Amino acid sequence: NNGTRSILSLDSKDSSGNAVTLRMHTLGDGPRAELFTLTNHDLAFSTNNAAPQMTLKTTGNLELGTGSFPVTPNTNGDDLVIFGTGSHGISILSGTSNDGNIFFGDSGGNVRGKLAYSHLGDYMTTTSAGAYNILAGGDIVLDTGDSSAMRIKSSALVVNNAANNENMITAVQDG
């Protein structure tokens, strides 16, 4: 039948004797299915009968990893927390001629700031009101946005006017 709903409900109790209800249902009149706790409990996912490896908190925050936090996450950065006892990180894998990006946005726009790595050019860029690039060799290029740039090299400081393709100032390290 079109528009029918299906509900699977599992009822249990937590260690304090409080009711815990896990519900899965489909919305016959909506675009999705849902899996949720009907009671005020976190929703955890695990594999191989192990400790939870991913937990959706009642606050809406998502925790990835096993064990308990060694420290409390900063409240300004706890929406996604990855933790464990060894080395951990986040990987952004993109094509060899493409960029890997992290975007920062607000009500004024969805790209107010950006951290990007160019695989093709082999450099990292941060963008806000201005930009700077960290090149593969360690050089730092500051772009002022008006066709001028300053390049900090391991052995020299170069201020360049790109419009005339000329170096305006070059300072070379002694020795």
Side-chain angles (χ1 to χ4, degrees), residues 42-163:
D42 299 336
L43 181 60
F45 300 87
S46 59
T47 59
N48 200 24
N49 202 25
Q53 297 152 333
M54 180 173 70
T55 304
L56 180 59
K57 307 296 283 181
T58 58
T59 60
N61 296 348
L62 180 64
E63 297 176 354
L64 301 176
T66 58
S68 57
F69 290 132
V71 297
T72 302
N74 184 295
T75 57
N76 291 319
D78 65 354
D79 298 316
L80 173 62
V81 178
I82 299 170
F83 62 95
T85 57
S87 298
H88 290 79
I90 297 173
S91 295
I92 298 174
L93 307 174
S94 46
T96 57
S97 48
N98 300 99
D99 295 346
N101 300 292
I102 299 174
F103 294 97
F104 303 90
D106 58 25
S107 61
N110 63 2
V111 186
R112 305 295 287 178
K114 178 173 90 169
L115 176 62
Y117 175 75
S118 168
H119 292 279
L120 186 62
D122 196 21
Y123 61 87
M124 176 101 40
T125 302
T126 61
T127 306
S128 58
Y132 69 89
N133 300 327
I134 302 172
L135 305 179
D139 294 359
I140 300 172
V141 178
L142 304 173
D143 183 359
T144 61
D146 64 356
S147 75
S148 297
M150 179 171 68
R151 184 176 192 139
I152 302 170
K153 303 177 105 182
S154 58
S155 61
L157 168 66
V158 178
V159 178
N160 183 268
N161 182 334

